[in-house]
Amino acid sequence: MRSISPLISAAQTAFTRVPLFRAIMYRPGYPDTTVDLSPYVVSAEATMPPNFSAGYVQLTVMNPNNVITNNVLVRPDYVLTVAFGYFVEGVADFQPLGIFYVDEPQRHFVVNPPRNEVILQARDGVKLCMERHFTVFEWLEFKDMSIQQAVDFALSLVLVAGESLTAVYDTDDETTAALATQVDNIVVSAQDQLDNVYDLLKTLLAIQSLSAFFNESGQLRVGMMNGTTAESTYGGVLAQTRPIFGRDHRRSGREHQNWIHVEGDLVYADVYDQANIDDIGRVKYKFIDDPEIDDQDKAARRARQELDLAARFREQPDITVPWMLDLEIRDVITLDDEGASGLSRSDWRVEDMRFNYQAGKQPICTLQLGLGLPTAPKTEETGTFV
């Protein structure tokens, strides 16, 4: 278990700490020859969603005398490394956020006041996996492979300047057992629905409900994500935003429900979460009409399943703090923020992170955390924030 409380307390209470942002670009495979964009960055936004959705960065960069657009290292699909940190007592302390791949840079001219800007948008390794499509008559067969072997093989198809993407795997017993599961009957061709590496990897990970995301080193981290725990205390000198309950940014159009009614063929069942209704202060009702359900036990089971799934969206607050480092997606944090945002001490899982940075005489850097229930299933995904 690791504690990040001292870092948070220091960041919130020490006014001498100045937030910093670092963005460096280079040609894939040649990290020694770089261009440092940090002095030119006006604003930055980074989003890190969970479970193999595209991490995303957008930079607004001042472009005096076209120094950025004329630089040979600012090109589509070139590498962009991003780090956040702070400057205190003459020492800069950076924590890397990740490795991203640049889309087409865009140059903007602003008349009043006159500005020459470049907008850089970049995605993590998901970008490369999405763009690696299978060619006609190219067949991929995963017979007699474990999930781990299949993931490694799928990533080997995606090249960055001749080097393939790689994965790192959690080593806890549950993850190890899941990765050893055999892949059955997944055969991919250009004619099939799975026509790119991204969809293929999602299918492989779904076999055992594995979670994955690209880490700061650009590797795909795969596992059940049960071994990361952090302990933190928010609040302090800065007022926090109020939590927003029932955020509906999940896929499949699902949102929080706390009363389920299932109507079958001459049978029905109701199930509700009274404690949660009291917490949120409202009832959200869902009606399910399924004539194929002809047994009372089946109706009750379906209602419980729907309520359990809705529990993932039960309380998912957004909390904005100054900058908080040494934290990863899927970490479980013990959060105590009752004095600032009204959240009493409880366990939450970090579902996504959004960073914002603004340069100027008084630089501002904030981190927004999306929190979910730590006991919720890992199979649901966020929407894409691009």
Side-chain angles (χ1 to χ4, degrees):
M1 184 175 187
R2 55 193 175 88
S3 174
I4 56 177
S5 301
L7 180 59
I8 296 175
S9 299
Q12 289 188 329
T13 58
F15 294 100
T16 58
R17 291 175 180 261
V18 178
L20 297 175
F21 177 80
R22 176 178 289 172
I24 295 176
M25 282 192 66
Y26 58 88
R27 179 184 173 192
Y30 298 88
D32 296 331
T33 305
T34 64
V35 53
D36 188 356
L37 299 175
S38 308
Y40 306 103
V41 173
V42 176
S43 63
E45 178 182 349
T47 299
M48 307 297 293
N51 207 20
F52 206 39
S53 295
Y56 181 71
V57 171
Q58 177 171 304
L59 308 182
T60 302
V61 183
M62 293 300 296
N63 189 29
N65 300 319
N66 294 323
V67 294
I68 305 301
T69 48
N70 291 335
N71 194 297
V72 297
L73 297 179
V74 182
R75 294 288 184 272
D77 292 324
Y78 274 34
V79 176
L80 175 68
T81 62
V82 172
F84 284 88
Y86 54 83
F87 186 83
V88 58
E89 297 179 356
V91 178
D93 182 9
F94 283 99
Q95 294 287 339
L97 183 64
I99 295 177
F100 302 86
Y101 300 92
V102 176
D103 295 327
E104 186 69 45
Q106 302 176 24
R107 183 166 58 176
H108 289 213
F109 293 101
V110 182
V111 176
N112 187 21
R115 296 192 306 273
N116 180 8
E117 296 178 344
V118 172
I119 306 297
L120 288 175
Q121 297 176 333
R123 287 179 284 168
D124 59 14
V126 169
K127 168 184 170 67
L128 302 178
C129 292
M130 285 178 172
E131 294 173 351
R132 170 56 167 93
H133 286 259
F134 308 122
T135 59
V136 178
F137 304 123
E138 179 182 11
W139 287 81
L140 307 176
E141 188 170 355
F142 296 92
K143 187 178 181 180
D144 299 327
M145 280 190 183
S146 67
I147 293 178
Q148 181 170 340
Q149 291 171 330
V151 169
D152 285 335
F153 175 70
L155 288 175
S156 71
L157 302 173
V158 183
L159 300 180
V160 181
E163 298 181 5
S164 61
L165 291 174
T166 58
V168 292
Y169 300 94
D170 289 359
T171 57
D172 59 281
D173 293 341
E174 187 178 3
T175 297
T176 301
L179 291 171
T181 303
Q182 180 132 340
V183 178
D184 294 324
N185 301 324
I186 294 183
V187 180
V188 182
S189 77
Q191 292 82 11
D192 291 334
Q193 187 175 4
L194 300 179
D195 65 349
N196 60 67
V197 173
Y198 176 66
D199 288 336
L200 171 59
L201 285 169
K202 286 179 61 178
T203 302
L204 293 171
L205 295 170
I207 295 174
Q208 286 291 320
S209 299
L210 288 159
S211 292
F213 63 89
F214 281 98
N215 61 20
E216 63 187 34
S217 300
Q219 294 176 299
L220 184 68
R221 178 186 167 188
V222 181
M224 291 295 183
M225 308 297 172
N226 291 330
T228 54
T229 303
E231 184 174 348
S232 58
T233 301
Y234 293 83
V237 296
L238 296 180
Q240 310 302 326
T241 57
R242 293 291 300 176
I244 303 171
F245 290 102
R247 278 191 310 157
D248 184 19
H249 70 267
R250 299 298 191 240
R251 284 187 181 174
S252 304
R254 294 191 179 273
E255 59 179 16
H256 158 71
Q257 308 288 341
N258 48 32
W259 190 314
I260 309 293
H261 176 84
V262 175
E263 192 79 26
D265 183 12
L266 302 179
V267 296
Y268 72 91
D270 283 279
V271 61
Y272 59 92
D273 184 351
Q274 183 62 51
N276 187 52
I277 293 173
D278 293 340
D279 287 341
I280 295 181
R282 68 180 187 273
V283 175
K284 296 197 70 176
Y285 181 84
K286 184 174 184 179
F287 176 82
I288 298 172
D289 184 11
D290 188 348
E292 294 185 2
I293 297 177
D294 55 3
D295 181 85
Q296 184 64 37
D297 290 339
K298 291 181 181 179
R301 188 183 312 118
R302 173 68 181 278
R304 288 194 300 270
Q305 289 172 343
E306 289 288 340
L307 184 65
D308 288 342
L309 183 58
R312 182 173 177 81
F313 314 97
R314 188 166 66 194
E315 298 176 37
Q316 304 206 36
D318 293 333
I319 283 193
T320 301
V321 298
W323 59 98
M324 180 174 63
L325 308 174
D326 194 24
L327 187 65
E328 283 188 337
I329 298 167
R330 307 301 294 173
D331 275 351
V332 175
I333 63 174
T334 302
L335 183 145
D336 186 354
D337 194 42
E338 189 167 12
S341 67
L343 287 181
S344 59
R345 186 176 181 86
S346 184
D347 290 336
W348 302 89
R349 188 183 292 277
V350 177
E351 294 286 355
D352 56 64
M353 300 188 293
R354 301 188 187 191
F355 295 86
N356 286 282
Y357 172 79
Q358 190 74 36
K361 293 182 179 179
Q362 294 181 323
I364 299 175
C365 183
T366 60
L367 166 62
Q368 187 180 61
L369 300 178
L371 304 175
L373 299 175
T375 56
K378 308 178 187 66
T379 54
E380 292 294 322
E381 299 176 354
T382 65
T384 302
F385 294 99
V386 297

